[in-house]
């Protein structure tokens, strides 16, 4: 080897060694949140957006990095940002949901989020956690392996975020407020989107349809995120299979499929190999709607996979999408996923359980008004509500629950959320729909208190009080193992035998089957206040939520630190 080659080789070795020694970096970004006028569906619409784009900026970090994001709220609305799926180990003040872990960043104000990304790799995302602003205030958060460590699958040629969204020809805050004022369901969206664009099948949209140029024979890692507010979505690519390798930033055993199902809040990483003839192929998404008899946006959004060298004038091939109510296809996808035991952060599901909870979830009604003679636009002249164990969650307004926890302030929440529903009944029997004896609920701010490091098992049971529906339930601050899921009423004698305690999938958002149940288990090893709520934004303000208050651990390293001095307060500016 020539001397100059020896020198270059030595330099390369030194560079690799230095990179492998880098354990973490501080990654810094600025979010400028303000009004943006965009053209969609043949009209101009003012939206709230980050840094002038929809979706907002993609944040790319490596496992172990510290992320610092300066948020400048130049919009007319209160604002917080939630880092969906981030564990926030001992950094619960940065989790983001309004009145849970912080109060809002007021218009004209700013706040800096700072947190570490430890023990996670894969695709997460960030979004506003105030009203319906997350319809346009969202973006991808990608955590790659730290230097010196590789994916547990062959390195892809390229990584591509695919954000599925929902679009209204209206101000989304006004849409939500109108629904809340009348007590009825808000208006449905006017389109679905892929990376912010509706696609060829919508009017005035074809010239901006999202396109991905691929090289034949190369493999691409598609990071699919469902950022829609109220709809689960089927996702397919014409003539191509996909290999699922991760969900919710947790690696899975490879699973080959021609269709992916993602509920709002969920992410799915798939490997796509460009192994077809050079041409154009549609990627497409349409809704999975499990509730019967309810109007919805029954349309399809498209993007285009274009092979290099393909005829630019050729018409893309369209995949055959599932019917909107194809529950067997959705259930097959969700239940065929298993965790990758050999993955870098795999932790077996705990075998011993300290807290067992049975939680009914679904829609109901609350009285229309205090006077008792008012009439609302919901069923039976009442106001639609949602509940867990018949407790319809209401956020506090005086201070955040985390601040109340840290300072031992009473009167902000109560710790009497029930471990069991107050009444046992035939939960999924449609004959109980609108049963006046059980359909009414009441508002409260009830939470469940947990000892540090307690193991919690939750049976989530759907109900049929106002129809039956697949509910995506998201837990902040933790991943949980999905032990089993099925249809009908959960039967512990039979269904516990179905538990997967060897390689269950890990998630932060579980799509509880329509008219069915799911069992999850997690370890409460992170002190703070952590929401558990439905990620259909139509249901969160209706009260389909609760929270876990996890007590401090025995040592300084297991206690929640004090809040940042500039944490926004709930008092008026």
């Amino acid at each position: 080897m020539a001397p100059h080659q020896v020198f270059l080789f030595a330099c390369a070795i030194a560079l690799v060694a230095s990179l492998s020694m880098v354990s973490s970096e501080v990654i810094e970004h600025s979010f400028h949140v303000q009004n943006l006028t965009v053209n969609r569906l043949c009209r101009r619409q003012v939206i709230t957006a980050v840094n002038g784009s929809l979706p907002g900026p993609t944040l790319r970090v490596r496992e172990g990095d510290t992320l610092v994001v300066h948020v400048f709220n130049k919009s007319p609305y209160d604002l917080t940002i939630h880092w969906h799926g981030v564990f926030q180990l001992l950094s619960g003040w940065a989790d983001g949901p309004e009145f849970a872990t912080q109060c809002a960043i007021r218009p004209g104000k700013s706040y800096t989020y700072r947190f570490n990304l430890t023990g996670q790799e894969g695709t997460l995302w960030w979004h506003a956690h105030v009203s319906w602003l997350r319809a346009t205030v969202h973006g991808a958060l990608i955590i790659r392996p730290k230097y010196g460590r590789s994916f547990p699958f062959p390195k892809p040629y390229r990584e591509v975020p695919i954000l599925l969204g929902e679009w209204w020809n209206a101000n989304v805050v006004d849409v939500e407020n109108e629904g809340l004022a009348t007590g009825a369901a808000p208006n449905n969206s006017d389109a679905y989107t892929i990376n912010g664009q509706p696609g060829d099948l919508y009017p005035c949209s074809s010239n901006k349809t999202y396109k991905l140029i691929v090289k034949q024979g190369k493999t691409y890692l598609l990071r699919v995120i469902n950022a829609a507010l109220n709809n689960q979505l089927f996702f397919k690519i014409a003539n191509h299979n996909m290999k699922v390798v991760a969900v919710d930033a947790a690696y899975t055993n490879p699973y080959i499929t021609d269709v992916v199902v993602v509920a709002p809040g969920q992410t799915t990483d798939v490997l796509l190999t460009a192994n077809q003839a050079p041409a154009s192929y549609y990627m497409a998404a349409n809704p999975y709607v499990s509730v019967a008899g309810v109007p919805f946006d029954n349309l399809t959004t498209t993007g285009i996979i274009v092979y290099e060298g393909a005829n630019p004038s050729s018409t893309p091939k369209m995949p055959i999408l599932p019917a909107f109510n194809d529950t067997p296809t959705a259930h097959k996808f969700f239940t065929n996923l298993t965790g990758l035991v050999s993955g870098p952060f795999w932790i077996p599901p705990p075998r011993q359980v300290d807290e067992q909870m049975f939680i009914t979830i679904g829609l109901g009604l609350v009285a229309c008004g205090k006077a008792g003679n008012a009439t609302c636009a919901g069923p039976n002249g009442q106001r639609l509500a949602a509940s867990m164990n018949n407790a319809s969650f209401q956020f506090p307004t005086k201070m955040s629950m985390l601040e109340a926890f840290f300072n031992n302030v009473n009167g902000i929440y109560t710790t009497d959320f029930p471990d069991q529903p107050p009444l046992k009944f035939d939960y999924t029997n449609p004959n109980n729909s609108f049963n006046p004896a059980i359909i009414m609920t009441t508002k409260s701010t009830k939470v469940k208190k947990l000892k540090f490091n307690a193991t919690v098992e939750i049976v989530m049971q759907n109900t049929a009080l106002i129809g039956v529906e697949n509910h995506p339930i998201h837990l902040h601050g933790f991943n949980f193992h999905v032990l089993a899921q099925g249809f009908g009423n959960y039967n512990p004698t039979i269904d516990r035998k179905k538990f997967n305690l060897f390689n269950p999938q890990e998630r932060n958002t579980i799509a509880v089957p329509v008219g069915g149940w799911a069992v999850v288990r997690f370890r409460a090893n992170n002190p703070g206040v952590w929401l558990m709520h439905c990620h259909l934004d139509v249901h969160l303000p209706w009260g389909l939520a609760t929270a876990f208050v996890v007590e401090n651990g025995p040592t300084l390293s297991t206690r929640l630190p004090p809040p940042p001095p500039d944490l926004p307060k709930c008092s008026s500016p």
Side-chain angles (χ1 to χ4, degrees):
M1 185 180 291
H4 74 280
Q5 292 176 313
V6 173
F7 175 75
L8 291 175
F9 180 74
C11 288
I13 294 296
L15 177 61
V16 171
S18 65
L19 290 176
S20 65
M21 293 175 63
V22 175
S23 59
S24 63
E25 298 180 32
V26 176
I27 308 298
E28 200 161 355
H29 290 269
S30 291
F31 281 7
H32 297 272
V33 188
Q34 59 195 85
N35 284 350
L36 176 70
T37 302
V38 297
N39 291 304
R40 296 289 189 280
L41 306 184
C42 310
R43 58 178 286 166
R44 291 166 65 85
Q45 178 68 47
V46 177
I47 64 171
T48 305
V50 177
N51 295 357
S53 68
L54 174 67
T58 295
L59 305 183
R60 292 178 172 88
V61 299
R62 291 187 180 273
E63 192 271 325
D65 284 350
T66 295
L67 185 59
V68 178
V69 183
H70 309 284
V71 178
F72 300 90
N73 186 8
K74 304 173 185 177
S75 82
Y77 305 109
D78 287 354
L79 177 75
T80 68
I81 301 293
H82 170 51
W83 315 94
H84 187 110
V86 174
F87 292 154
Q88 299 291 0
L89 294 170
L90 299 179
S91 58
W93 301 104
D95 192 44
E98 186 187 24
F99 298 124
T101 62
Q102 69 168 97
C103 296
I105 307 168
R106 304 289 186 181
K109 301 296 183 180
S110 63
Y111 179 63
T112 296
Y113 292 91
R114 184 184 184 97
F115 52 91
N116 188 259
L117 296 146
T118 301
Q120 294 178 277
E121 291 176 5
T123 305
L124 298 174
W125 63 302
W126 57 266
H127 61 80
H129 214 292
V130 174
S131 67
W132 278 21
L133 286 179
R134 80 172 173 91
T136 55
V137 178
H138 63 253
L141 172 53
I142 295 171
I143 310 171
R144 304 190 74 251
K146 63 176 56 180
Y147 291 110
R149 193 168 63 219
S150 60
F151 295 120
F153 47 81
K155 183 180 178 180
Y157 177 71
R158 186 180 164 200
E159 302 173 32
V160 184
I162 302 292
L163 284 93
L164 309 178
E166 210 167 354
W167 177 264
W168 277 260
N169 284 330
N171 181 308
V172 291
V173 175
D174 293 342
V175 172
E176 181 195 21
N177 288 340
E178 181 181 357
L180 292 175
T182 63
N187 292 338
N188 290 318
S189 58
D190 296 289
Y192 302 108
T193 58
I194 293 178
N195 286 346
Q197 298 294 338
D200 286 4
L201 305 185
Y202 290 93
C204 305
S205 302
S206 60
N207 62 337
K208 291 189 177 180
T209 297
Y210 172 72
K211 292 183 180 180
L212 173 61
I213 310 298
V214 300
K215 290 185 177 183
Q216 192 173 34
K218 298 295 186 181
T219 296
Y220 296 78
L221 177 59
L222 304 186
R223 299 179 177 274
V224 183
I225 300 167
N226 188 346
L229 261 63
N230 295 317
N231 280 285
Q232 304 192 54
L233 294 164
F234 293 113
F235 177 77
K236 291 189 74 172
I237 300 172
N239 291 22
H240 291 75
N241 283 332
M242 295 170 280
K243 183 185 291 184
V244 179
V245 292
V247 293
D248 293 0
Y251 291 118
T252 63
N253 286 304
Y255 171 56
I256 297 175
T257 177
D258 68 340
V259 61
V260 164
V261 193
V262 274
Q266 291 183 333
T267 71
T268 303
D269 290 356
V270 300
L271 295 176
L272 170 72
T273 300
N275 56 8
Q276 297 298 301
S280 295
Y281 301 86
Y282 276 123
M283 62 174 78
N286 70 336
Y288 165 49
V289 178
S290 55
V291 61
V294 174
F296 65 96
D297 178 6
N298 190 14
L299 297 168
T300 300
T301 179
T302 55
I304 305 176
I305 304 274
V306 181
Y307 278 66
E308 288 186 356
N311 183 351
S313 62
S314 63
T315 301
K317 297 176 175 62
M318 176 64 78
I320 299 174
L321 290 158
F324 73 88
N325 58 354
D326 191 348
T327 290
T329 291
H331 191 66
K332 177 184 177 182
F333 177 83
F334 285 134
T335 55
N336 276 355
L337 301 173
T338 52
L340 185 66
V341 175
S342 60
F345 303 111
W346 170 259
I347 298 175
R351 296 302 182 103
Q352 301 298 318
V353 175
D354 302 307
E355 298 276 358
Q356 287 190 318
M357 304 180 71
F358 185 98
I359 299 179
T360 54
I361 57 178
L363 299 183
L365 301 173
V366 291
C368 178
K370 294 181 179 179
N373 57 359
T375 300
C376 290
N380 299 342
Q382 304 294 343
R383 185 179 295 275
L384 282 168
S387 65
M388 293 185 172
N389 279 352
N390 206 40
S392 187
F393 192 80
Q394 182 170 268
F395 282 94
T397 56
K398 294 181 179 179
M399 69 170 57
S400 75
M401 293 188 290
L402 187 59
E403 188 177 355
F405 163 72
F406 185 82
N407 293 310
N408 295 313
V409 177
N410 294 322
I412 304 301
Y413 57 80
T414 61
T415 57
D416 57 342
F417 181 84
D419 290 342
Q420 304 286 329
L423 179 69
K424 293 184 178 181
F425 59 97
D426 190 356
Y427 304 113
T428 56
N429 188 338
N431 291 329
N432 273 322
S433 183
F434 293 98
N435 183 339
I438 55 179
I439 198 172
M440 299 302 291
T441 182
T442 55
K443 294 289 184 179
S444 60
T445 311
K446 296 181 179 182
V447 306
K448 170 69 175 179
K449 200 169 188 179
L450 297 173
K451 295 288 186 183
F452 178 79
N453 224 29
T455 296
V456 185
E457 181 181 289
I458 306 174
V459 178
M460 301 179 186
Q461 174 68 63
N462 259 314
T463 60
L465 297 181
I466 300 182
V468 288
E469 187 174 2
N470 185 305
H471 290 282
I473 304 297
H474 171 48
L475 176 61
H476 289 226
F478 305 94
N479 277 357
F480 45 70
H481 292 95
V482 181
L483 303 186
Q485 48 193 310
F487 297 102
N489 296 332
Y490 175 74
N491 184 328
T493 303
I494 298 173
D495 294 328
R496 292 191 74 85
K497 298 175 183 178
K498 304 173 185 176
F499 282 11
N500 178 359
L501 295 171
F502 171 65
N503 63 350
Q505 60 180 290
E506 290 183 79
R507 304 211 74 133
N508 61 60
T509 305
I510 173 70
V512 182
V514 53
W517 51 269
V519 182
V520 303
R521 197 178 285 182
F522 72 99
R523 189 178 301 281
N525 56 4
N526 192 10
V529 176
W530 308 103
L531 282 181
M532 184 175 73
H533 65 91
C534 183
H535 220 267
L536 301 178
D537 268 26
V538 69
H539 290 165
L540 179 55
W542 287 350
L544 195 53
T546 186
F548 293 103
V549 175
V550 180
E551 296 179 346
N552 282 306
T555 64
L556 187 63
S557 63
T558 57
R559 299 182 65 84
L560 180 71
D566 59 340
L567 186 75
K569 303 296 182 182
C570 290
S571 57
S572 299

